[in-house]
Amino acid sequence: MGFADAFLDMAVIARYAPSILSGMGVTLALAVLIVLAGTAAGLALACLRATGSRRLSIPIVIFADVFRALPPLALILLAYFGLPNVGVSLSSFMVLFTVLALVLAAFAEEIFWAGIAATPKGQWEAARSTGLGFRSTLLWVVLPQAARMAVAPLTNRAIAITKMTALGTVIGVPDILNQATTAVSFSGDASPLTLAALAYVAIFLPLVIASRRLERRFQWRRL
Amino acid sequence: MPPILELIGLRKRFGALDALADVSLSVAPGELVFVLGPSGSGKSTMLRCCNLLERPDEGAVVLEGRDIAARGVDLDAARKRIGMVFQAFNLYPHLSALANVTLALRKALRLPRAEAEARGMAALDRVGLADKARNMPGQLSGGQQQRVAIARAMALEPAVMLFDEPTSALDPELVDEVLAVMRELRAAGMTMLVVSHEMRFARAAADRVVFMDRGAVVEQGPPERIFEAPRSERLRAFLSRRA
Ligand SMILES: Nc1ncnc2c1ncn2[C@@H]1O[C@H](COP(=O)(O)OP(=O)(O)OP(=O)(O)O)[C@@H](O)[C@H]1O
Ligand SMILES: [Mg+2]
């Protein structure tokens, strides 16, 4: 059997294309939801930490460190098989979304926090000296500068974590990889995996390119 | 006339260091008070206590008759009455010159956009930079940036303006344009407390010169008296080092 038969059997590809396409929908939906929720939660946590209150910042730091340290697969399995024991049963989609959004939130919090901390003290002092309060200063002066510093590391991290939606396969989320492996076991042919790879490229390559553009734009505007 | 700003018995410690040891100073409306002294003498700390960027351990900061260092004072409201200009300009790098000036007008004074922009343009015009309103800070020279920073503080129409070494970060050829703007402000009746090493400016524009050393006001008086007939040994030593 040649390479083309193993990885590019057109009949097999045609048969399983619809299920891979539906997997693409699931992966795309997960990716969008994870990026939105994870970034928003990370930003909110970094803002809470910026208040300087230890009662807020200690639990935030612990959360960020734990969720950055644990392997996402371990978290996914733990949540999927562990939560029902404490009376919480989530669908596999919800488990995957929640875990990866939390992981992204942990990284995003650290990235935004680094940007906030790197904004010179003089920026705070200039704004406060004109009568702007803490919140206005954070919102209008510090966050725009912190966000600029965050763009590059955040897009890299967001891409890395949304790709981990493939881990959902182990708990039965019908994403691209799950559809492809199912198709492989039914057809006995690896071609669906080729299709899966194409599907991943179709979703993530535009993201990678967009992130490059975004980075360049922010660098240029800093001047 | 009652003072517009009065510092009474200010003390500030940093660890074991007495940055301010019982500083009292009063500034009359329309007066330009010039503060000089060696590095580390507490000039910046004193200035930063005036708008509570630094909270004094003891003492009162009486602005327009009210002690704003007391507990429970709305500092954001008080700070709208005190402008501050920094050595490092501290312009917001992501905002245009005009937006730097209008931010507090819009978000602190809560003026509508059109009114804030009109007032912002007027302030930029007064520092001679109306034509640079749309420029980003990174596109301006140091002297222009500091003039925008002055416009930003001035646009709030404060009762007092504080200047902390406003020309120290500038190339020598850019110093004069900033000092010229400060002179015009003074001519327009602004009350100013200026920390600087520009003795020429002090002689030409100050109503009173205050000499600080080791966290205390050592000597003060009109510029001619301070520069021509210093009384304390420490001021004499300071002036001879600078001559
Ligand atoms: N936040 C701080 N923490 C610790 N020490 C400080 C702090 N701010 C100022 N100091 C110290 O307090 C003293 C007075 O500092 P200050 O900045 O007021 O002096 P200055 O007269 O403005 O000096 P310069 O001419 O160098 O600006 C210095 O010894 C300085 O090191
Ligand atoms: Mg200083």
Side-chain angles (χ1 to χ4, degrees):
Chain A
M1 202 160 73
F3 178 89
D5 290 330
F7 289 99
L8 275 175
D9 185 321
M10 283 306 158
V12 174
I13 284 180
R15 174 135 47 93
Y16 290 103
S19 68
I20 300 249
L21 213 57
S22 86
M24 243 179 115
V26 173
T27 296
L28 193 61
L30 273 167
V32 169
L33 291 174
I34 288 165
V35 169
L36 291 180
T39 305
L43 181 61
L45 290 175
C47 289
L48 289 177
R49 191 172 167 191
T51 61
S53 145
R54 288 169 62 84
R55 288 227 319 266
L56 292 173
S57 60
I58 289 173
I60 291 172
V61 171
I62 292 173
F63 159 77
D65 285 356
V66 168
F67 275 80
R68 289 186 307 153
L70 287 174
L73 182 57
L75 277 169
I76 289 165
L77 293 172
L78 194 69
Y80 189 67
F81 295 109
L83 284 180
N85 295 330
V86 292
V88 183
S89 64
L90 298 176
S91 69
S92 55
F93 183 95
M94 274 309 288
V95 166
L96 187 60
F97 160 73
T98 309
V99 167
L100 292 184
L102 286 173
V103 171
L104 180 56
F107 280 98
E109 187 279 323
E110 285 299 310
I111 290 168
F112 282 121
W113 171 250
I116 291 171
T119 303
K121 200 163 137 263
Q123 293 288 308
W124 284 97
E125 294 186 341
R128 298 306 300 267
S129 79
T130 58
L132 290 168
F134 171 83
R135 276 188 225 170
S136 298
T137 302
L138 186 62
L139 180 62
W140 301 106
V141 175
V142 176
L143 282 185
Q145 298 180 57
R148 229 149 272 222
M149 290 182 243
V151 167
L154 190 62
T155 48
N156 284 333
R157 187 56 67 176
I159 288 167
I161 289 172
T162 47
K163 276 195 303 197
M164 291 180 191
T165 49
L167 296 174
T169 302
V170 299
I171 55 171
V173 176
D175 70 328
I176 296 174
L177 189 65
N178 195 356
Q179 299 288 5
T181 48
T182 306
V184 169
S185 52
F186 277 117
S187 66
D189 185 292
S191 302
L193 287 172
T194 308
L195 208 54
L198 288 175
Y200 277 116
V201 167
I203 292 178
F204 288 103
L205 196 61
L207 249 173
V208 173
I209 292 171
S211 80
R212 220 183 261 288
R213 290 241 174 116
L214 209 61
E215 248 169 75
R216 213 176 306 141
R217 219 190 85 185
F218 277 123
Q219 261 163 19
W220 181 72
R221 284 254 298 277
R222 188 175 307 147
L223 211 73
Chain B
M1 226 183 318
I4 203 159
L5 176 69
E6 191 172 17
L7 308 178
I8 305 169
L10 289 191
R11 287 178 194 277
K12 179 75 189 178
R13 296 179 71 91
F14 293 112
L17 176 87
D18 268 310
L20 295 181
D22 194 12
V23 168
S24 295
L25 184 69
S26 84
V27 183
E31 196 180 18
L32 192 156
V33 175
F34 186 96
V35 181
L36 52 78
S39 180
S41 57
K43 306 179 299 290
S44 296
T45 305
M46 192 255 297
L47 215 57
R48 292 159 56 81
C49 281
C50 294
N51 65 354
L52 277 293
L53 281 185
E54 212 77 73
R55 185 169 273 287
D57 298 327
E58 280 175 44
V61 177
V62 183
L63 176 74
E64 300 177 297
R66 206 165 57 107
D67 179 11
I68 61 170
R71 297 283 153 188
V73 168
D74 179 353
L75 280 185
D76 293 335
R79 284 178 179 141
K80 291 172 201 163
R81 304 289 303 149
I82 317 172
M84 189 167 207
V85 175
F86 301 83
Q87 178 173 356
F89 327 139
N90 298 347
L91 289 185
Y92 314 131
H94 60 295
L95 297 178
S96 70
L98 180 61
N100 263 273
V101 178
T102 56
L103 183 67
L105 298 178
R106 298 197 56 202
K107 306 300 174 189
L109 290 194
R110 307 206 164 276
L111 297 183
R113 176 194 275 274
E115 198 180 333
E117 296 203 336
R119 220 158 121 172
M121 282 307 296
L124 283 175
D125 193 41
R126 279 184 69 185
V127 301
L129 290 173
D131 58 326
K132 303 283 186 196
R134 303 285 160 195
N135 285 49
M136 301 303 278
Q139 300 168 317
L140 301 174
S141 73
Q144 290 170 334
Q145 289 189 48
Q146 190 61 298
R147 284 148 67 196
V148 172
I150 292 173
R152 175 174 69 183
M154 192 174 80
L156 289 158
E157 295 172 0
V160 187
M161 284 179 75
L162 312 171
F163 293 79
D164 193 358
E165 307 205 23
T167 58
S168 295
L170 295 174
D171 293 334
E173 70 272 21
L174 302 177
V175 168
D176 284 343
E177 61 186 74
V178 171
L179 294 180
V181 165
M182 290 170 64
R183 281 212 184 95
E184 272 163 39
L185 263 177
R186 169 184 155 54
M190 177 59 73
T191 307
M192 297 159 79
L193 189 51
V194 181
V195 172
S196 169
H197 296 297
E198 296 291 335
M199 305 295 185
R200 278 181 306 122
F201 177 76
R203 285 172 185 273
D207 295 296
R208 184 153 45 107
V209 174
V210 172
F211 172 63
M212 284 183 73
D213 193 20
R214 291 181 225 155
V217 173
V218 176
E219 194 171 337
Q220 55 178 309
E224 315 77 54
R225 223 273 292 133
I226 290 290
F227 292 120
E228 309 308 334
R231 287 177 189 152
S232 63
E233 190 47 49
R234 281 195 261 171
L235 175 54
R236 263 197 294 272
F238 176 78
L239 290 175
S240 67
R241 272 199 308 275
R242 296 239 145 220

